[in-house]
Amino acid sequence: MAFNRLLTIMDELREQCPWDRKQTLDSLRHLTIEETYELSDAILNKDMVDIRKELGDVQLHLIFYAKIASETGDFDIADVLNGECDKLISRHPHIYGDINGQRVVADTEEQVKANWEQLKLKEGNKSVFGGVPTSLPALVKAMRIQEKARGAGFDWDEKEQVWEKVEEEMQEFKAEFNIDTLEQAIDTQRAEGEFGDLLFSLVNYARFIDINPETALERTNKKFIKRFQYIEEQARANGKALSDMTLAEMDVYWNQAKTV
């Protein structure tokens, strides 16, 4: 009932509203990205009211894309939903049936992921990385690349091995950055490459200990913003400008912010 109501409203808006009538797949794209990030913020804040609202906004965008495609005769929302149902059934043979008469076993999450990647290759993907969007933020992309590689059986066995790799990359970055001999010229390009390797290895270790690096970094971003804004508030309350304060003075407020 609610879904059909939304479809009807979408039809009416597309026909009667100048703004909705003007939209295209391209014009909606950046708005969809924004809505997705707003949903992400609501999830991080564990704000169920906002999550419900943002889910509605994202759902509207999905219906909007399907509506535009239906006008050109390419597909409609029923095609989208049926296609997704078919894909889910075919990607879960351990639930919905065998493959070529053979029973597929997937008793663990890792087995499910491995089967999923193998099925995608059989469907025509030339690489296990075929489903990783090129425009993903680098940190998220690193995590997805590593998950895809693991699904194909290419991964470390133990987290201790991964940590050894982190320490190895740290030493290589330190050597390239000439941290102990700052008078020497730094090869920025090589240092950047080693720093990238270090970040990639840290993302890998985070995956092994069930930490989402994107979530972890975003929580740290929010924590930093909150503490810095406390400094700004306290400075204003004492009639000071940040530009006139010393680092030692700001550190006092920073340490206070940790206890607030």
Side-chain angles (χ1 to χ4, degrees):
M1 180 72 72
F3 190 73
N4 286 334
R5 182 186 178 202
L6 184 55
L7 292 179
T8 298
I9 292 173
M10 181 76 261
D11 289 342
E12 293 170 347
L13 292 178
R14 187 66 172 167
E15 181 179 343
Q16 301 175 34
C17 175
W19 186 89
D20 289 277
R21 198 165 51 234
K22 183 180 178 182
Q23 300 314 305
T24 65
L25 298 178
D26 289 331
S27 69
L28 286 174
R29 177 180 171 275
H30 73 281
L31 298 175
T32 306
I33 293 172
E34 181 180 333
E35 293 294 353
T36 304
Y37 277 111
E38 289 179 1
L39 174 60
S40 174
D41 284 344
I43 292 172
L44 285 174
N45 293 331
K46 293 182 169 56
D47 187 331
M48 298 305 293
V49 174
D50 255 9
I51 291 174
R52 183 183 70 176
K53 179 176 74 70
E54 298 304 338
L55 281 173
D57 291 341
V58 171
Q59 181 65 74
L60 173 62
H61 277 244
L62 302 183
I63 289 176
F64 211 151
Y65 288 120
K67 174 63 178 176
I68 293 173
S70 72
E71 294 169 353
T72 59
D74 291 290
F75 58 83
D76 59 20
I77 191 63
D79 296 324
V80 173
L81 298 179
N82 283 323
E84 186 64 22
C85 289
D86 292 342
K87 181 174 72 174
L88 288 172
I89 290 172
S90 67
R91 298 272 180 88
H92 292 81
H94 55 290
I95 302 295
Y96 295 105
D98 302 336
I99 294 181
N100 298 326
Q102 294 183 335
R103 180 177 179 272
V104 177
V105 177
D107 296 326
T108 67
E109 178 187 359
E110 292 305 320
Q111 287 176 316
V112 172
K113 289 180 178 179
N115 289 342
W116 184 281
E117 294 303 333
Q118 291 303 313
L119 287 166
K120 288 180 68 174
L121 289 174
K122 290 179 180 179
E123 290 170 4
N125 279 11
K126 296 181 180 180
S127 169
V128 296
F129 303 128
V132 180
T134 56
S135 58
L136 269 182
L139 187 62
V140 179
K141 185 186 291 186
M143 183 172 60
R144 294 296 293 138
I145 287 172
Q146 292 168 9
E147 290 173 344
K148 294 287 186 180
R150 180 177 181 81
F154 186 79
D155 203 6
W156 302 92
D157 293 320
E158 305 291 339
K159 67 177 183 295
E160 289 78 12
Q161 297 172 304
V162 186
W163 184 250
E164 288 177 3
K165 185 64 176 177
V166 171
E167 293 182 322
E168 175 188 325
E169 297 295 352
M170 176 65 82
Q171 291 304 314
E172 290 181 5
F173 172 65
K174 180 180 178 181
E176 197 60 51
F177 200 68
N178 301 315
I179 196 167
D180 295 325
T181 54
L182 294 179
E183 69 277 3
Q184 297 181 15
I186 296 172
D187 187 327
T188 304
Q189 186 172 358
R190 287 178 60 88
E192 182 182 83
E194 295 298 345
F195 186 66
D197 291 345
L198 175 58
L199 283 178
F200 194 83
S201 65
L202 282 169
V203 170
N204 212 357
Y205 187 74
R207 181 173 55 85
F208 260 78
I209 58 176
D210 294 323
I211 290 176
N212 185 305
E214 172 70 18
T215 301
L217 183 57
E218 181 57 17
R219 291 192 188 283
T220 295
N221 289 339
K222 289 180 177 292
K223 180 171 62 177
F224 184 92
I225 290 172
K226 180 180 178 181
R227 290 178 180 176
F228 195 84
Q229 287 177 337
Y230 178 85
I231 296 176
E232 293 175 317
E233 292 169 1
Q234 295 303 309
R236 283 194 296 269
N238 288 276
K240 296 182 178 180
L242 289 181
S243 58
D244 297 326
M245 296 175 64
T246 65
L247 180 58
E249 289 175 316
M250 286 190 278
D251 274 341
V252 172
Y253 293 136
W254 179 267
N255 291 325
Q256 289 178 6
K258 295 179 181 179
T259 63
V260 174

